[in-house]
Amino acid sequence: MKQETNVVSASLNGVRNSPRKMRLIADLIRNKEIQTAIDLLSHSRKRKVSFIFKKLLLSLLSNWEKKNNQSYDSENKGFLYIKEIKVDQGKTLKRLRPVPQGRGHRIRKRSSNIVVLLDKKKET
C-alpha cells in the first residue's frame, strides 16, 4: 500500500543563538497555520530569533510549492499548518575569558539546529 504524504520539511543548522532562546519562539508558533505564524513572527519582540524563523517558514512554503506544483495564494490559505518544530543544540564554541590571579573562565557560545515540518490540514 502506498501512503500519500503531504509533509514538507525545512531545516537550518548552526544558528548562532542558544536553543533555549529559540524554543521560546518555537513554542509560540507550534501547531499554528502558516500565515498566522508569519504574522506572529512579524510582531514579536524577539527580533533576531523571529527573523530567523520567518525566513525558515518562507523557505518551507517554497519547498511546499515545488513539491505540489501549485502556488500558495489567497485561495489556498488556511489549510497548511506547522506540524512539528524541533530546536536542538548544535555545536558549542568554547572560549576562555581571563579573570584575576591568572585564571581563565570558560565561555560557551551555543548554537542551534532547527527542523520544521509543514502538513496539510485534514478536511472535516
Side-chain angles (χ1 to χ4, degrees):
M1 285 190 271
K2 186 178 179 183
Q3 187 178 14
E4 187 178 327
T5 61
N6 292 324
V7 178
V8 179
S9 68
S11 64
L12 187 59
N13 295 329
V15 179
R16 275 286 300 123
N17 227 334
S18 71
R20 186 175 180 179
K21 293 176 187 176
M22 300 293 272
R23 285 187 192 113
L24 290 173
I25 298 296
D27 293 339
L28 183 67
I29 62 173
R30 185 175 281 123
N31 295 324
K32 298 271 196 274
E33 291 180 3
I34 190 79
Q35 195 60 44
T36 307
I38 291 173
D39 291 341
L40 282 171
L41 292 174
S42 296
H43 301 294
S44 174
R45 298 189 80 182
K46 298 212 174 271
R47 300 275 182 211
K48 184 178 176 184
V49 177
S50 61
F51 178 73
I52 292 167
F53 272 109
K54 191 174 178 182
K55 284 186 76 166
L56 191 60
L57 291 183
L58 294 176
S59 172
L60 192 62
L61 272 178
S62 175
N63 292 347
W64 182 84
E65 288 175 353
K66 287 179 185 174
K67 182 177 181 182
N68 293 310
N69 292 327
Q70 66 185 106
S71 65
Y72 181 77
D73 55 1
S74 60
E75 297 171 3
N76 295 329
K77 284 187 180 177
F79 70 93
L80 292 176
Y81 75 103
I82 299 170
K83 181 178 182 178
E84 184 179 343
I85 186 165
K86 291 191 311 185
V87 179
D88 299 323
Q89 184 167 342
K91 290 184 178 180
T92 302
L93 300 174
K94 296 175 176 107
R95 302 288 182 258
L96 285 176
R97 175 143 193 128
V99 292
Q101 298 182 357
R103 296 187 185 121
H105 288 174
R106 181 164 284 180
I107 304 292
R108 291 175 301 200
K109 298 185 174 189
R110 300 178 190 271
S111 66
S112 309
N113 298 332
I114 309 167
V115 177
V116 183
L117 297 177
L118 185 71
D119 199 7
K120 195 173 182 178
K121 280 189 178 178
K122 305 286 189 262
E123 295 169 5
T124 57

